[in-house]
Amino acid sequence: MSTKSVMIVDDDVDLHESLKSFLVSEGFDVSSAFDGTEAEELLATCELPGQHLPDVILLDLMMPKMNGWELLSKLKKKSTLSKTHVVLLSAASDPKEIPPHPHVKFLAKPFDLGNLLGAMG
Amino acid sequence: MSKPTPLYLYSDHQKIMRVLLLTGGLAYLIWWFLVELTLPNAFNPLGSRLVVCALFFSSYLASRRFEWARTHVAKLYYMSGWALTLHYFYLFYNNPTDSNWIVGAYITVVALCACINDSEMFIAYIVYVVALSLGICMLDPALLKTVFLSGMLTILAFAYFGMRSRVRLVAKIIAEEQNNEKNRALLEVSEQALRLRNEFISVASHELKTPLTTIKIQTQMAHRSFQKGDPDAFSPERTTKTIELIERQADRLKDLIDSMLDISRITLGKVEMKFIPCNLTTLLEEVVASLTETLKMSGCPVQLTVARDVTIEGDSLRLEQVVVNLLTNAMKYAEGKPIRIILDADERNAVLVVEDEGMGIAPENLERIFEKFERVVSTKNISGFGLGLFVSRYIVEAHQGTISVESEVGKGSRFIVRLPKTRRIL
């Protein structure tokens, strides 16, 4: 069985590190971005020949430069979402605001790690 | 929204006209009542004229004082006016050369004028008076002088009462509009306050939940490792790292709660400050040193230029808060570009400048960033309560100083704090 790859997109360094350390301990292959722009650049390199997109993106909604909403709409336009799943992480947003999509899930902060793994499929 | 201009409400020209018309009209009325009362051929002169005069004054008073009278009694007067007109028509039918009915008719019309505020009705009355005057002249040219005088005075009276009525109507509309405008402004202020409050709740919950999430992840990880019996999970290194991480989150939560309490204290006017000699140079160096790690993480190179031993009379803890707020903001918005901190002083003031080369602030936002819960960019992008500059301004002003900002979009911002070395006793 191949290792599942996850991209964490969150500007909070401590949260980012905690998530990364947990997911690595669970056997995931983890990549990191600290804002939407950085994530977009990283995803562009993933689409190069020989590379592959992450299976799951953990996307924080409130971030500098490019926020989670903007990145999500870009991913939808580029049909990245047909190949990868997105788990939106937010402390303030209402899940009702999120347009339904089979590959997009929402997890309110603070979350249980069991629920996180469940949402990541 | 622009205010409607009361064009003809209080002009001098209107005032003179009003005085002339009122004086002339009343003088003529008194003359008519006293002199013509004695005419032997008048038809029931006293009773009829008393009714007309009473009608004139009461309608005038009623229309002036009461809104209800304007709408209801005016209709009654209007109908009585027509009844009186028919009465004078009957007088005319009996004896066309009797001036009694002419004067009576025009007084009736004047009385009715006090009640009207409709321009079409006003025109109809003028036509009526002119036609009446012309008709009389055709019957007996000897009456020309009386009829002309009566007609002119009637028209002038019409002009006065019509104008007065119009003016009051316009004044009423203006007052209503001003009232509406005031209400609209109040509504806008309330809506803005409500919007800011809701935004604050949303931001506050985000800010408080983020460190909580990290704490929760760490504790759950520890719990899972314990259940799995992972031997490395509780190694001294990992345990130290976990404890440090949790401690940092606790500090973040404490800082957030402190800034919320600050707002509450400021709003209630319960902030206490101790004004004692405070070395700003040392304070600044210590704050920058304490923020070394955070500054490194932000990727913003810091250039510190401080004058030696700048001492002012102030509350060092609160001033430290101002420096931290300005630096934290610079880090948030500088986007990894350099931050310069300059401390200088002249004879009277200490001047602290914090400048960055970040996104900058649009001119229309320069004033509002010092207000409660305000921030330069959308809440979806930048974390923080939006209280830092509000609290900073409060602290600086309590030190009798000023805080200002110069900024250009895309080129960066420059925050300037001026603090007097000695406080004036107010």
Side-chain angles (χ1 to χ4, degrees), chain A residues 5-6 9 25 43 56 75 98 104 106:
Chain A
S5 59
V6 186
V9 190
S25 74
L43 286 167
V56 183
L75 295 180
I98 296 154
V104 179
F106 177 84

Side-chain angles (χ1 to χ4, degrees), chain B residues 328-360:
Chain B
T328 316
N329 266 1
M331 279 189 270
K332 267 186 213 164
Y333 297 103
E335 300 168 323
K337 290 173 189 157
I339 297 170
R340 277 177 295 280
I341 307 160
I342 304 153
L343 176 67
D344 206 352
D346 54 28
E347 278 181 16
R348 288 185 176 179
N349 298 304
V351 183
L352 168 70
V353 177
V354 177
E355 57 183 18
D356 64 68
E357 295 174 18
M359 62 175 78

Side-chain angles (χ1 to χ4, degrees), chain B residues 196 200 259-269 271 273 318 321-322 325-326 329 367-375 385-398 403 415:
Chain B
L196 286 174
F200 173 73
S259 65
M260 286 165 85
L261 286 173
D262 269 345
I263 288 299
S264 160
R265 285 192 204 107
I266 288 173
T267 313
L268 296 171
V271 183
M273 292 191 208
R318 290 291 175 183
Q321 205 178 342
V322 174
N325 283 342
L326 291 177
N329 266 1
E367 274 301 312
R368 72 175 179 92
I369 56 165
F370 291 105
E371 297 302 323
K372 235 187 280 183
F373 312 134
E374 292 285 5
R375 55 187 64 237
F385 279 174
L387 296 175
L389 288 176
F390 174 75
V391 174
S392 300
R393 188 183 67 173
Y394 179 86
I395 295 170
V396 170
E397 285 177 357
I403 182 167
F415 285 86

Side-chain angles (χ1 to χ4, degrees), chain A residues 11-15 17-19 21-22 25-26 60-70 90-92 97 109-114 117, chain B residues 202-203 205-207 209-214 216-218 220-221 224 228 238 241 245 248-249 252 297 332 335 378-384:
Chain A
D11 63 319
D12 190 277
V13 181
D14 290 336
L15 180 61
E17 285 309 310
S18 298
L19 270 178
S21 115
F22 167 67
S25 74
E26 289 293 317
D60 181 31
L61 286 173
M62 196 191 280
M63 286 185 296
K65 291 182 188 170
M66 186 198 291
N67 64 44
W69 296 108
E70 289 166 298
S90 174
E97 290 171 19
K109 288 178 186 175
F111 44 79
D112 282 325
L113 292 177
L117 293 175
Chain B
S202 158
V203 171
S205 64
H206 175 270
E207 290 301 305
K209 278 181 182 176
T210 304
L212 268 182
T213 309
T214 307
K216 203 167 173 185
I217 291 173
Q218 290 301 328
Q220 284 181 83
M221 274 171 70
R224 287 168 88 96
K228 278 184 195 167
R238 276 186 69 174
K241 205 178 162 186
L245 199 62
R248 214 159 43 232
Q249 306 317 306
R252 276 174 71 178
M297 268 158 46
K332 267 186 213 164
E335 300 168 323
S378 151
T379 50
K380 287 186 175 176
N381 292 342
I382 296 283
S383 59

Side-chain angles (χ1 to χ4, degrees), chain B residues 123-164:
Chain B
I123 292 162
Y125 274 119
I126 290 178
V127 172
Y128 162 76
V129 171
V130 171
L132 196 70
S133 308
L134 286 174
I136 299 303
C137 292
M138 281 166 74
L139 280 170
D140 185 354
L143 284 171
L144 184 64
K145 198 180 162 189
T146 313
V147 168
F148 180 74
L149 193 62
S150 310
M152 281 308 289
L153 277 171
T154 309
I155 289 167
L156 286 174
F158 265 123
Y160 165 66
F161 286 112
M163 182 191 78
R164 190 184 59 104

Side-chain angles (χ1 to χ4, degrees), chain B residues 60-67 69-70 168:
Chain B
Y60 173 78
L61 290 172
S63 65
R64 192 178 173 81
R65 295 286 169 205
F66 308 108
E67 178 62 33
R70 287 188 68 79
R168 289 172 64 207

